[in-house]
Amino acid sequence: MTIRVLLADDQALLRATFRILIDSTPDMTVVDEAADGREAIDRTRAHHPDVVLMDIRMPGTDGLAATAEICADPALSDVRVLILTTFENDEYVAQALRAGASGFLGKDVSAEALLAGIHTVAAGDALLSPTATRALITRFLAAPDPDSTPVPVDGLAALTQREREVMALAAHGRSNAEIAEILVLSPLTVRSHIQRAMSKLDARDRAQLVVIAYRSGLVSAGPRP
């Protein structure tokens, strides 16, 4: 399957560089480009790409606002947004995840890491670059967000105990392999639990499952289990 990508960045040269890189990859293609957040929203609705590579700092509607609007549109529920910016800091990471982004990378990322990141978010997994550390993610996702409505613990009632355990470990930044080792399960079984929890909680991907885990109070900031 070919992964369809939309590029949203106000720098034409950077968009051209990304297009060459992505179009030279056998299982990827660039379907369109946008120079600002408003264009990104409109062209995402027009082309329905699998992944939007979204810059944060753009004129007019910025990348965070565009991400929030794209992710809030039920018609675009299967579109994934990968934030790509030079302004990689902890607050931007939290805002991007709250807005619905599936991943976050700095623009200094290597070509190989960028392509791997596109594959990761297209598959429905969360992607955070090394600078976006687990500690910072837990700190800011656990902090109150005045624009969000808390998810009641009762909202997790549909989950089995095992699904809650797996979800909590995922929220603390554990990989499927690490969760499997901790709970003495196979990585495939862990992935199945993650996918079932996402389905039951209507989470678009693993990143949103992490957001729900903190907003519901299932986990809180602090040392990982």
Side-chain angles (χ1 to χ4, degrees):
M1 181 189 77
T2 299
I3 299 173
R4 303 170 70 252
V5 180
L6 186 141
L7 304 176
D9 196 295
D10 60 340
Q11 299 181 48
L13 181 58
L14 194 58
R15 293 199 310 272
T17 301
F18 287 157
R19 176 182 280 275
I20 292 171
L21 173 64
I22 292 169
D23 282 343
S24 66
T25 304
D27 63 345
M28 294 184 191
T29 186
V30 173
V31 295
D32 205 348
E33 300 178 16
D36 57 49
R38 186 71 257 164
E39 280 190 356
I41 296 166
D42 294 341
R43 296 184 184 187
T44 296
R45 286 177 173 148
H47 296 281
H48 210 103
D50 299 302
V51 176
V52 179
L53 271 185
M54 183 80 75
D55 186 24
I56 287 182
R57 295 282 186 91
M58 292 187 289
T61 302
D62 67 19
L64 293 175
T67 296
E69 187 166 338
I70 289 170
C71 294
D73 188 342
L76 302 175
S77 61
D78 55 349
V79 175
R80 304 288 179 255
V81 177
L82 175 57
I83 299 290
L84 191 65
T85 181
T86 55
F87 301 95
E88 186 179 14
N89 63 47
D90 43 22
E91 181 58 27
Y92 279 140
V93 171
Q95 290 181 37
L97 290 176
R98 286 174 180 150
S102 297
F104 192 102
L105 286 173
K107 284 185 178 177
D108 58 352
V109 68
S110 68
E112 293 77 11
L114 174 61
L115 296 176
I118 294 173
H119 278 114
T120 296
V121 298
D125 291 327
L127 176 72
L128 298 171
S129 63
T131 309
T133 65
R134 292 166 174 169
L136 291 171
I137 293 302
T138 57
R139 172 188 166 195
F140 279 94
L141 285 181
D145 181 1
D147 298 324
S148 66
T149 302
V151 178
V153 176
D154 289 348
L156 304 181
L159 301 185
T160 65
Q161 181 60 33
R162 182 61 87 188
E163 286 165 355
R164 288 188 183 213
E165 292 171 348
V166 170
M167 180 176 171
L169 288 167
H172 279 287
R174 300 287 191 177
S175 67
N176 284 1
E178 290 174 325
I179 296 172
E181 183 176 357
I182 292 168
L183 299 180
V184 193
L185 300 171
S186 72
L188 182 59
T189 299
V190 170
R191 184 175 181 83
S192 295
H193 284 310
I194 291 286
Q195 290 174 334
R196 283 197 292 270
M198 285 167 48
S199 177
K200 290 178 180 180
L201 297 175
D202 197 26
R204 53 191 294 133
D205 54 29
R206 191 186 185 105
Q208 291 307 293
L209 196 66
V210 170
V211 172
I212 292 172
Y214 282 98
R215 288 179 57 201
S216 68
L218 177 65
V219 294
S220 60
R224 293 184 299 160

